[in-house]
Amino acid sequence: KLQFLYFIGTRYFKKGTKTLLIIISMNSLLLLSSAFAAQEMVKTPHGLRLAKCVHTVPNGAIVEEQVDGSTLVSHPKGSYRIERDEDCVQEVQTTLTKRRRSQPIKNLKTWEDYASFASTAPMYNFTSTYGVPNEEPTHGSQLLYYFIGFENLHEKTDVTIVQPVVNYDYSGQYPDGWSMEPWNCCPSGQSLKGENKKISAGDDVFTWIYTSKDADSTVTIGLSATDGSDLTQFSVKTNKRVWDWASATLEDYSSTCDEKNAKPFDFNKMVITDSKGSPVDMPWKTINQTACKGGAIVNSETSVSIYGKDMPH
C-alpha cells in the first residue's frame, strides 16, 4: 500500500493541487501504515498482524474480553491478562471491521481459494474431518493455512473469526511441514492461537467449533487426530456474538505455483448445526479459478476440496 500511494504522489504531484489534497486526506492513513510497517508482522490465517498482537494461549484455556479492554486468559495452571493495546485495536479495525456487510474475502487478498455461504439462521457448531494431502509441496518460503471458520459478519459488534487451522510451512514460523493449531481473531484486538501440534502428510484431522447455549456462552475451537490424540483447543467467551457466515479456506503467503498443493486438501464430513442441534443447510459457493489454476470444488453439501494449483475441471 505504501509503495502504491507513493507512486501516485510522485507521478501526479506536478499536475496540480488535486493530488496534494488527496495526500493530505490520506495523511493519517499513511502515518498509521508507516507505524505498523516499522514493526514486526506475523502471518496469521486472518491476515498480517503486528507480532505484539499475536499470543499463544495454553491448551484448554478460556479467554474473556474485559470491560477495561484487556483480555483475561484463564487456565487451571494459572490465569493472566493481556493488556489492551491501541495499536492492536486500530490495526484489527482496518483488517476485519471494514469487511462487515461486504464480501468477506474482498479485503483479505491472501485468502487464495475458498467456499463460503451466509446463513439466515444462527449457527452454533461446525465439525469436519480434514483430509491432509499425502503430499509435501516443494520446499520454499511458503506458509499455507487451511481451515473451516465461523464469522459474525453482519452484526453490529466487532467482527471476529474462529478457525481450526492446519498449516504447511517452510517460512520458519512453524515446524517444517504439516502442523495444526486453533485460532481466534480478535477479542480486544488480539489474535489468539492454541498450542501447535505436528502432523504428517496423509493424516486425517478431526476439527470442531462448538458454541454453548447458556447465558455465559463460550465457543471452543479445536483439532485432534481422529483417535483423539494430539488434541489442541481453547475457548473464548462469545460476548453474545452470533455466527452467520461459514467458510472452508486456503490462505496463502509467499508461495510460487510449485509450492502449492496439487493434491486436494479435503474438508470432509462437514456438519453445521443450530442451537437445537438440528442441521443447517450449507449452500456452498466458490470463487472463480484462482492463480496457478487452483480453486475450490464443492463435492457435496458436506464436502469441499481445495487445490492450490491445477484444479481438475
Side-chain angles (χ1 to χ4, degrees):
K1 288 183 178 178
L2 287 176
Q3 291 178 339
F4 177 68
L5 292 171
Y6 178 77
F7 174 74
I8 292 176
T10 55
R11 183 176 179 184
Y12 295 106
F13 182 77
K14 294 182 179 180
K15 291 190 176 181
T17 59
K18 290 184 179 180
T19 303
L20 179 60
L21 292 173
I22 292 172
I23 291 171
I24 291 172
S25 68
M26 291 182 174
N27 186 51
S28 60
L29 176 60
L30 284 168
L31 290 174
L32 182 62
S33 299
S34 297
F36 291 161
Q39 301 183 56
E40 181 185 356
M41 307 297 288
V42 172
K43 300 169 183 175
T44 80
H46 38 262
L48 284 170
R49 298 287 336 264
L50 293 169
K52 67 177 180 176
C53 308
V54 180
H55 307 270
T56 301
V57 300
N59 211 350
I62 299 175
V63 177
E64 183 176 7
E65 297 161 84
Q66 302 296 292
V67 175
D68 63 2
S70 65
T71 303
L72 177 64
V73 180
S74 301
H75 190 265
K77 293 184 178 180
S79 300
Y80 59 93
R81 286 179 184 268
I82 303 170
E83 297 302 328
R84 178 183 174 89
D85 187 300
E86 289 301 326
D87 286 348
C88 299
V89 173
Q90 291 180 38
E91 185 211 26
V92 78
Q93 287 174 349
T94 66
T95 57
L96 283 184
T97 304
K98 67 182 179 180
R99 297 165 62 203
R100 188 187 291 120
R101 305 188 187 282
S102 65
Q103 282 296 322
I105 311 303
K106 188 175 181 180
N107 295 304
L108 271 180
K109 302 303 183 184
T110 51
W111 283 34
E112 180 75 11
D113 305 301
Y114 63 94
S116 66
F117 71 91
S119 176
T120 56
M123 300 180 287
Y124 276 71
N125 309 303
F126 192 175
T127 59
S128 177
T129 299
Y130 295 172
V132 179
N134 190 13
E135 177 183 17
E136 295 277 347
T138 300
H139 305 172
S141 58
Q142 76 268 46
L143 173 52
L144 310 176
Y145 285 121
Y146 306 84
F147 55 87
I148 57 171
F150 269 167
E151 290 190 43
N152 60 321
L153 190 65
H154 297 100
E155 286 194 308
K156 294 180 180 179
T157 53
D158 290 340
V159 174
T160 190
I161 181 169
V162 288
Q163 305 162 290
V165 179
V166 161
N167 324 306
Y168 184 77
D169 186 41
Y170 276 90
S171 71
Q173 191 164 308
Y174 301 99
D176 287 350
W178 296 100
S179 63
M180 63 183 185
E181 73 285 319
W183 283 81
N184 172 225
C185 173
C186 299
S188 299
Q190 309 295 338
S191 287
L192 306 174
K193 60 188 177 81
E195 293 183 4
N196 179 267
K197 301 285 186 177
K198 194 80 174 74
I199 59 175
S200 300
D203 282 353
D204 287 335
V205 176
F206 182 58
T207 67
W208 58 90
I209 301 169
Y210 293 135
T211 309
S212 66
K213 296 178 288 183
D214 52 78
D216 197 24
S217 173
T218 60
V219 57
T220 300
I221 316 110
L223 311 90
S224 73
T226 51
D227 64 3
S229 61
D230 293 325
L231 182 147
T232 175
Q233 70 173 12
F234 68 94
S235 302
V236 182
K237 300 287 186 179
T238 63
N239 200 21
K240 298 183 179 180
R241 294 181 175 98
V242 177
W243 312 121
D244 58 16
W245 190 82
S247 66
T249 302
L250 161 62
E251 182 161 5
D252 175 6
Y253 290 94
S254 304
S255 67
T256 65
C257 291
D258 287 342
E259 296 166 3
K260 300 176 186 286
N261 61 298
K263 296 182 179 179
F265 189 103
D266 294 321
F267 299 88
N268 293 322
K269 300 180 182 178
M270 291 191 293
V271 177
I272 296 178
T273 57
D274 62 17
S275 62
K276 297 179 180 180
S278 300
V280 171
D281 289 339
M282 297 182 287
W284 297 104
K285 296 180 180 179
T286 64
I287 58 173
N288 295 327
Q289 194 172 59
T290 57
C292 304
K293 300 181 179 179
I297 294 176
V298 178
N299 304 309
S300 69
E301 191 176 61
T302 62
S303 176
V304 169
S305 296
I306 290 185
Y307 294 80
K309 63 179 179 181
D310 301 331
M311 181 178 70
H313 296 285

